[in-house]
Amino acid sequence: MNDTLTSSARSAEGARATPTPPRPVLPVAVLALLVAVVCAVAAALALWSLHQMLGDPSAWVVALLAALAATALLPLVPAVRAFGHARTRARLMAEKQMAAARHEAATGREHAHTAMGYALAVLICAGLIWFATANDGAITETFLRWEFLKASFADVLAAFVINVEVAVGAQLLVLVVGLLVAVMRLLPGRAGRPLRWLAIAYVDTFRAIPSIIVLYLVGFGLKLAEVPVFRDLSPIWLAILALTLTYSAYVAEVYRAGIESIHPSQWAASRSLGLSYGMTLRTVIVPQAVRRIVPPLLNDFIGLQKDTALIGVMGVTDAFTQSRLTASNVFNLTPVIVVAVLFVIITIPQARFVDRLLTKEQSRTGRSS
């Protein structure tokens, strides 16, 4: 009986000691090579279409197109290397070196996947070039006329300053109003119930109404009704007010989520030290919550910044309105592209800053846990 158990244990140990055969590399290498070749051909055709659209391009443009064509061939390099690893894998398997064969197989599959990833990126870029050159370059003629870009840039940039002013003014007010609404919604007890209901009604209402409708109603309604104080405000201040009403509802929910994410022990410890509800919020809870909500808060501010393009419905000559006026004069949409580029220029750094804050917060949370 003991001999039987011993032999079974040795058999099981021998089975565990024998490495499993590695997965084949050749099929995925062949697929990677095919994908790389097809994408390179597509890129070459797209670049040739671009060359034909340009007519008689200068020497440096031709050199640039040739460099792009050479870049489209780069995915072939890891695809070919995958074949080398496939051969090495087969040789090692014949020599019964399973561990080394598995390493070569994993490396070969990684090269094949890399080739397919870069090849698909090349294909996407080729598709964009083809789209830009389709219909004899109609897209480029409609959206990217250099002479119209130069002629409209100064006027659009001057009007874009208004968008920035409205965005900054609204953001400052939203920080305050959103926090007040969030605190109202979190008031405890029966005494705070009416204020909680009002805060909920405000948030639900202004999150449901599109921003352009709020801008239109505030921009024209308060003037028509001759509401004291508001009837004397300039259209820019009315635009700031309208965007504050809309985005305070969003930011209030961000504040509320941050406050509610603080562990209840923080409340209990603060109240046990004799701090009032207001002092606990101001000195303990809100500072911790604000640190957590900075990334989603900045995301809302990016949305607010983009919505400043809607203030033209109030009669404000912002960048988008100015670009439309210019575009209607030249019968071309290049001035509108200028506005889009300006928004991209000021938005992308903020987006990357948000990503950096998220990464920093995740690393800090990981260390603390």
Side-chain angles (χ1 to χ4, degrees), residues 35 39 75 115-125:
V35 171
C39 295
M116 287 188 283
Y118 279 91
L120 292 176
V122 168
L123 183 62
I124 292 173
C125 294

Side-chain angles (χ1 to χ4, degrees), residues 23-38 75-89 104-117 119:
R23 288 184 294 172
V25 180
L26 187 60
V28 68
V30 171
L31 178 61
L33 182 61
L34 290 175
V35 171
V37 170
V38 170
L76 293 173
V77 176
V80 172
R81 294 182 66 182
F83 280 95
H85 288 284
R87 289 193 300 269
T88 305
R89 168 193 172 275
E104 288 294 325
T107 305
R109 287 193 301 271
E110 181 181 358
H111 284 304
H113 295 156
T114 301
M116 287 188 283

Side-chain angles (χ1 to χ4, degrees), residues 215-227:
L215 286 164
Y216 192 84
L217 293 176
V218 171
F220 294 103
L222 297 182
K223 291 286 187 178
L224 291 174
E226 296 186 353
V227 179

